[in-house]
């Protein structure tokens, strides 16, 4: 689907090229409140049944909390405008405006034949928002409206601040299909110019960085640290770093040919389990710059890490062998997992079940993302633990997609400006969790 849409979209590009001729920065038009925050904070709640990470964006006039799915690799904010969108500060982005230029490679200009409403205006530019959970995509008006977020000193939330012209895409209700009831859209944290991190850093003039700490009650920080979890631990001071890689071929459901992916890829060079090498075909671990296949990305819309079939089976073989050496035996699998173990003989540690450790070896042998039991195993029954990784089939677009369960209780800092990922490893080691941010506002 992606490639055929890619071709279709390319022909539209011809008509919309004129939009890209005047590239002016939007920083001057994004008026903000006079108090200039150094960082912002958003709470994240995990939906226990859908395993989606949700947050609230306070948008519109009068302001309403809009419940959206956190999509780390998403391009921008999109919300359902067809139902219940009422706001006196809604502004469609007019063709040729700075907002359309910033949204880059929009799908040209649109008209709408029914009565004007948010999402249906003449002479506005369009984007192609997608929903990676149901693989849906739509053509939708680009617009801006007021968005308010709480500032933070890194320890508690502070005063609420407002971005007056926050750009988003005004989608049809059908794009919500597959999302939980009450969810009104998706918040894209990808590296595009209109991704949430870039828009907030432009609006409030702080570094183009954000940090994500997933848990059942997690937190996202925009801007630089400190990122303090109770009891008073600043996580920004104990990060290891690895380069963020750019996949030159878009991974969105629909895109304009020539667009790079806005998702966050990292360079996993090898995988080890209890220091034993997992045999993996090397070309699967790198991004093929011709077709964009391969490599490793980080995702919040996949609840568990997904691996290409040959990687998954080699991984399971080594893990099972190492588990056997600890007298941990395999039992019948429980879906969606393919590999489960008896809880018998499995000890407990501060970082979860005492199972073989999994190492993602990054730019060199010294830079390792180590995954312990709390992030590798999922307890599905009293006496059954499953390896929380799933088989992604043969020839998937991306060989390894690191999913939510593997990211929880780890702080990840995405520095877009320097293209660098900071990662903490399990916070359970230092006796805190991603649920430990103090959300009580300081007086
Ligand atoms: C757009 O323009 C057409 C032609 O002038 C008009 O019929 C239509 O009502 C307009 N739609 C909106 C939403 O303003
Ligand atoms: C990269 O992709 C192209 C096009 O699909 C293919 O011809 C080429 O063999 C691939 N390169 C590698 C190293 O796999
Ligand atoms: C595994 O079980 C065998 C037989 O019960 C025992 O001899 C051995 O010490 C056990 N190994 C470990 C690592 O617990
Ligand atoms: C959370 O922050 C509030 C406001 O600063 C403070 O009064 C409270 O003691 C903090 N809670 C904990 C558990 O530290």
């Amino acid at each position: 689907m992606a490639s055929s849409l890619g071709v279709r979209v390319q022909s539209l590009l011809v008509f919309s090229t004129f939009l890209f001729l005047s590239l002016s920065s939007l920083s001057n038009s994004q008026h903000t409140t006079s108090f200039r925050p150094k960082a912002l904070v958003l709470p994240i709640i995990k939906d226990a049944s859908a395993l989606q990470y949700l947050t609230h964006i306070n948008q519109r006039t009068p302001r309403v909390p809009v419940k959206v799915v956190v999509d780390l690799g998403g391009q921008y904010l999109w919300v359902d405008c067809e139902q219940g969108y009422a706001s006196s500060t809604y502004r469609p982005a007019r063709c040729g405006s700075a907002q359309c230029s910033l949204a880059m490679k929009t799908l040209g200009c649109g008209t709408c034949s029914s009565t004007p409403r948010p999402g249906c205006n003449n002479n506005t530019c369009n984007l192609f928002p997608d929903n990676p959970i149901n693989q849906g995509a739509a053509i939708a008006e680009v617009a801006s409206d007021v968005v308010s977020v709480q500032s933070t000193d890194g320890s508690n939330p502070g005063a609420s601040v407002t971005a007056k012209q926050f750009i988003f895409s005004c989608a049809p209700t059908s794009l919500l299909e597959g999302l939980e009831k009450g969810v009104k859209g998706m918040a894209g944290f990808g590296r595009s110019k209109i991704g949430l991190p870039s828009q907030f850093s432009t609006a409030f003039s702080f570094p183009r960085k954000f940090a994500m700490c997933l848990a059942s009650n997690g937190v996202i920080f925009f801007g630089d640290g400190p990122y303090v979890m109770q009891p008073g631990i600043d996580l920004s001071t104990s990060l290891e770093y690895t380069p963020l890689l750019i996949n030159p071929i878009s991974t969105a459901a629909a895109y304009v040919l020539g667009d790079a992916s806005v998702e966050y890829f990292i360079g996993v060079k090898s995988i080890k389990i209890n220091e034993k090498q997992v045999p993996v075909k090397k070309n699967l671990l790198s991004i093929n710059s011709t077709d964009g296949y391969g490599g490793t990305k980080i995702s919040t819309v996949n609840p568990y890490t997904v691996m290409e079939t040959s990687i998954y089976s080699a991984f399971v073989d080594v893990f099972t062998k190492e588990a056997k050496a600890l007298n941990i035996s395999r039992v019948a699998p429980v879906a969606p997992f393919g590999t489960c173990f008896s809880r018998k003989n499995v000890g407990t540690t501060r970082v979860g079940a005492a199972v073989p450790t999994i190492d993602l070896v990054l730019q060199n042998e010294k830079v390792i993302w180590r995954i312990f039991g709390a992030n590798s195993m999922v307890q599905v029954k009293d006496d059954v633990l499953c390896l929380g990784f799933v088989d992604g089939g043969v020839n998937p677009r991306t060989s390894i997609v690191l999913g939510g369960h593997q990211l929880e209780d780890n702080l990840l800092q995405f520095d877009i400006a320097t293209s660098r990922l900071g990662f903490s490893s399990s916070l359970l080691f230092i006796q805190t969790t991603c649920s430990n941010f103090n959300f009580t506002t300081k007086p």
Side-chain angles (χ1 to χ4, degrees):
M1 173 186 173
S3 60
S4 67
L5 275 175
V7 171
R8 261 174 43 202
V9 172
Q10 187 188 37
S11 59
L12 280 168
L13 181 61
V14 176
F15 301 101
S16 54
T17 307
F18 72 94
L19 283 180
F20 315 133
L21 296 178
S22 72
L23 280 178
S24 60
S25 161
L26 198 77
S27 47
N28 294 333
S29 59
Q30 268 207 358
H31 307 293
T32 59
T33 41
S34 55
F35 163 65
R36 180 162 282 177
K38 279 166 63 188
L40 309 175
V41 67
L42 274 181
I44 303 179
I45 290 176
K46 185 179 188 179
D47 180 287
S49 61
L51 306 178
Q52 290 163 5
Y53 299 92
L54 307 175
T55 190
H56 285 97
I57 305 281
N58 290 306
Q59 194 199 34
R60 312 170 198 183
T61 304
R63 224 77 83 232
V64 289
V66 182
K67 197 194 270 188
V68 291
V69 173
V70 172
D71 181 5
L72 177 69
Q75 309 177 87
Y76 37 75
L77 173 69
W78 64 259
V79 304
D80 170 19
C81 280
E82 216 167 29
Q83 285 182 33
Y85 197 112
S87 173
S88 62
T89 43
Y90 179 88
R91 301 282 178 271
R94 296 298 173 194
C95 269
S97 66
Q99 293 186 330
C100 290
S101 308
L102 202 70
M104 281 299 281
K105 306 210 175 156
T106 57
L107 292 178
C109 281
T111 55
C112 189
S113 50
S114 61
T115 31
R117 58 161 181 84
C120 176
N121 290 283
N122 276 340
N123 191 31
T124 57
C125 56
N126 291 308
L127 278 171
F128 220 146
D130 65 358
N131 177 341
I133 293 168
N134 70 11
Q135 314 301 329
I139 291 185
E141 182 167 289
V142 179
S144 69
D145 207 335
V146 172
V147 164
S148 294
V149 205
Q150 281 189 295
S151 61
T152 183
D153 61 0
S155 300
N156 294 84
S160 179
V161 292
T162 298
K164 288 197 174 147
Q165 293 182 34
F166 196 91
I167 299 172
F168 68 105
S169 163
C170 209
T173 306
S174 58
L175 202 56
L176 295 175
E177 209 176 289
L179 306 183
E180 287 301 280
K181 202 163 171 281
V183 171
K184 296 290 181 216
M186 299 185 84
F189 286 74
R191 60 163 89 228
S192 85
K193 284 185 186 155
I194 56 169
L196 269 71
S198 295
Q199 283 203 66
F200 284 135
S201 76
T202 303
F204 301 109
S205 309
F206 55 62
R208 219 146 63 96
K209 291 181 188 179
F210 68 102
M212 185 181 82
C213 210
L214 296 181
S216 43
N217 288 283
V219 56
I220 286 183
F221 301 95
F222 296 94
D224 225 331
Y227 311 129
V228 181
M229 297 292 166
Q230 292 163 3
I233 302 168
D234 176 11
L235 303 177
S236 67
T237 59
S238 54
L239 300 176
E240 281 202 82
Y241 295 96
T242 192
L244 285 168
L245 309 180
I246 292 177
N247 185 331
I249 315 291
S250 176
T251 43
Y255 57 95
V256 177
L257 289 184
D259 276 358
S261 174
V262 300
E263 295 202 78
Y264 299 101
F265 283 75
I266 56 171
V268 172
K269 289 258 179 66
S270 67
I271 304 171
K272 291 180 180 175
I273 296 176
N274 272 357
E275 316 277 327
K276 309 273 178 9
Q277 193 82 41
V278 174
V280 172
K281 277 180 267 169
K282 283 277 180 271
N283 65 325
L284 291 173
L285 294 181
S286 52
I287 300 167
N288 180 327
S289 58
T290 308
D291 59 13
Y293 274 65
T296 302
K297 72 177 184 186
I298 305 174
S299 163
T300 53
V301 296
N302 290 83
Y304 305 103
T305 294
V306 183
M307 289 172 160
E308 181 275 339
T309 292
S310 70
I311 303 178
Y312 179 77
S313 53
F315 179 78
V316 166
D317 283 352
V318 178
F319 192 91
T320 303
K321 215 160 122 210
E322 291 303 310
K324 201 170 170 198
L326 299 170
N327 284 343
I328 303 170
S329 49
R330 270 180 84 162
V331 296
V334 176
F337 306 109
T339 311
C340 299
F341 297 89
S342 162
R343 186 105 185 59
K344 202 166 146 253
N345 296 336
V346 180
T348 307
T349 72
R350 185 183 281 176
V351 286
V355 293
T357 55
I358 299 163
D359 288 345
L360 305 179
V361 181
L362 299 167
Q363 66 270 38
N364 63 54
E365 294 284 325
K366 291 203 187 84
V367 186
I368 287 167
W369 178 332
R370 181 160 285 182
I371 300 172
F372 298 95
N375 291 109
S376 62
M377 308 307 286
V378 180
Q379 179 138 14
V380 295
K381 293 183 198 168
D382 276 354
D383 54 351
V384 179
L385 283 175
C386 294
L387 188 58
F389 292 72
V390 296
D391 184 344
V394 292
N395 206 28
R397 180 63 198 273
T398 300
S399 302
I400 302 177
V401 181
L402 292 171
H405 186 69
Q406 278 65 46
L407 309 177
E408 288 186 11
D409 292 325
N410 285 249
L411 181 106
L412 300 178
Q413 184 196 49
F414 298 84
D415 185 336
I416 300 173
T418 65
S419 214
R420 188 174 77 152
L421 174 75
F423 60 101
S424 66
S425 191
S426 179
L427 301 182
L428 305 179
F429 255 129
I430 50 172
Q431 287 174 300
T432 189
T433 71
C434 286
S435 299
N436 277 2
F437 184 71
N438 185 345
F439 273 105
T440 308
T441 306
K442 269 205 184 119

